[in-house]
Amino acid sequence: MADNPFVPPAAAAAARKVDLPQPVRYEELQREVMMSLKPDLFEGLRFDLTKPLNHNFALSHSIFMGNVDVPTANSQVVKMPIGTYEFGANLVTNRGNLMLGRITSDGRLTGRVKYDVTDFAALKSQFQLASEKGMSQAMFDVDLKGKDWNGQLKWGTSNFYGANYFQSVTPSASVGGEVFYLAEQRRSGIGLAARHVGDKHVGTIQIANTGLVSLTYIQKISEKVSLASDFMWNLNSREANASFGYDYVLRQCRLRGRIDTDGKIAAFLEERLNVGVNFVLSAEVDHPRKDYKFGFGLTVGE
C-alpha cells in the first residue's frame, strides 16, 4: 500500500497492521507431533463402547485384559497381567462446558471439569482418587485468553503452583514461557518455548532450567502423509534421544509408526469397519531389551 500524503500517519500505520492469530495453549505446544509419534500403544485386548443418550450426554464402557510393565531398579523387563473394567459418563453442554468421569473396577476414580466463565476466562479441574496411598491428586486451572495470547494459572496437590503465557509475535510465530514451584519439595523451574507454523509444517523448541532441551518438527508431505520427528537432550546427564515417525491417513484407516534411538519400533493401526466401528492394532518391539508388545481392540461409538 503506497503512502498517501493526505492520510494521517496513525491511520496509515493502522491500515498496515496485521492481526495476529491466537496461539495454541502452552501445554498443547507439541500437539501435532504427539498425535503422530505418541499413539496410545497397549499390550493385550481392549474393547471400548460409547453410547450417546442425547446430544449432550453419553456413557462409556471399556474393558482391558493384558500386561503392564512393572518398574524395576535395572533394565530387566517385568510384566504383570491385569484385567480392568472402566465405566464413564460424559456431559458436554451446547456452550462447550463439560464434565467427564471415569471409575475402574480397582476403585480408581478420575474426573475432569471445564466451565467457561466468560469469553476470555475458563475454570478447569482434573482429579484422581485412588485407594493406594499417595496416588490421589488434583489440579485446578484458570485459563485466560486474549486476541493474540493465552495464559494459565495452576494449583495442585503437594502445594504445586504454576503459570504459563504464550504470545503470537508474527502471523506464523509465537513465543512464551512457564514457571512452577513445588513447595513440599522446595523445587522450582522456568521454561521458555517457541513455535513456528507454516503452510505445511510445525516446528517447536523448549528449554528448561532443569537442563532439558526439546525440539519437534512435523512436515505435511501430502493430504494423506505427514512425517514427524523429535529430539530431547538432558544437559545434566548428557543423554539424548530422538525419534522419527510417520502418519498415513487413508480413506478407511489411519496408520502411525515410529522408530527411536533406543531401538524401539512401534506401529498403530486404526481401521474403520463401519460407521462408528473401528478395529485397532498396536505393536511395539524393543530389540535391546527383548520386550515385545502386541495388542488388538475394537472401538464402538464416536
Side-chain angles (χ1 to χ4, degrees):
M1 180 177 180
D3 291 337
N4 190 331
F6 299 101
V7 178
R16 291 193 297 265
K17 184 179 179 181
V18 178
D19 290 335
L20 299 177
Q22 187 180 92
V24 300
R25 297 203 171 275
Y26 192 90
E27 56 190 12
E28 299 175 350
L29 183 72
Q30 302 174 347
R31 63 183 184 184
E32 293 88 358
V33 171
M34 293 299 103
M35 286 289 292
S36 297
L37 292 181
K38 309 291 184 183
D40 187 16
L41 300 173
F42 63 96
E43 180 180 13
L45 167 67
R46 192 175 76 184
F47 176 74
D48 299 306
L49 170 65
T50 301
K51 181 176 177 58
L53 301 184
N54 53 47
H55 293 295
N56 303 109
F57 189 69
L59 299 178
S60 65
H61 307 268
S62 181
I63 297 174
F64 174 74
M65 293 182 291
N67 297 321
V68 295
D69 293 339
V70 178
T72 59
N74 50 36
S75 60
Q76 182 181 2
V77 178
V78 178
K79 296 177 181 285
M80 181 178 68
I82 66 168
T84 60
Y85 165 74
E86 181 184 88
F87 172 76
N90 308 326
L91 174 63
V92 182
T93 68
N94 295 330
R95 291 185 55 191
N97 301 319
L98 59 88
M99 295 179 64
L100 310 177
R102 301 286 187 273
I103 186 169
T104 62
S105 55
D106 57 3
R108 183 168 301 184
L109 175 66
T110 59
R112 181 185 168 204
V113 179
K114 174 180 173 290
Y115 180 74
D116 293 327
V117 181
T118 66
D119 293 337
F120 59 86
L123 302 177
K124 295 194 307 184
S125 69
Q126 49 188 341
F127 63 88
Q128 173 180 284
L129 301 177
S131 56
E132 301 93 338
K133 185 178 180 180
M135 295 299 294
S136 297
Q137 53 189 344
M139 182 70 70
F140 301 91
D141 302 337
V142 178
D143 289 351
L144 304 171
K145 63 181 179 180
K147 190 175 181 180
D148 56 6
W149 64 271
N150 60 62
Q152 192 176 59
L153 303 174
K154 306 173 77 71
W155 176 80
T157 50
S158 303
N159 287 328
F160 174 88
Y161 304 92
N164 60 62
Y165 179 82
F166 215 46
Q167 171 74 56
S168 290
V169 291
T170 71
S172 58
S174 49
V175 298
E178 65 172 344
V179 295
F180 75 87
Y181 177 63
L182 194 56
E184 288 191 2
Q185 301 181 14
R186 297 184 180 276
R187 291 177 53 200
S188 62
I190 299 176
L192 300 174
R195 172 182 164 101
H196 186 273
V197 180
D199 293 335
K200 293 185 177 182
H201 76 271
V202 178
T204 70
I205 178 173
Q206 285 183 282
I207 303 174
N209 69 334
T210 54
L212 292 178
V213 178
S214 175
L215 304 171
T216 68
Y217 183 82
I218 183 169
Q219 176 74 43
K220 191 172 184 180
I221 305 301
S222 67
E223 291 297 324
K224 298 181 179 180
V225 182
S226 297
L227 299 179
S229 63
D230 70 343
F231 172 80
M232 182 169 289
W233 183 25
N234 190 323
L235 297 174
N236 298 326
S237 63
R238 303 294 179 180
E239 294 181 350
N241 60 69
S243 62
F244 172 80
Y246 59 88
D247 193 342
Y248 194 14
V249 180
L250 297 172
R251 188 171 62 89
Q252 290 292 110
C253 76
R254 181 180 184 182
L255 176 63
R256 287 172 282 177
R258 75 166 188 267
I259 182 171
D260 61 31
T261 53
D262 292 330
K264 294 180 182 179
I265 303 174
F268 191 81
L269 172 68
E270 296 171 282
E271 176 77 24
R272 185 175 184 181
L273 303 180
N274 207 333
V275 178
V277 180
N278 294 329
F279 178 66
V280 179
L281 284 176
S282 172
E284 184 179 45
V285 178
D286 188 346
H287 287 297
R289 299 178 60 197
K290 294 182 172 55
D291 185 15
Y292 311 104
K293 302 176 182 178
F294 299 95
F296 64 97
L298 193 67
T299 301
V300 180
E302 298 294 342

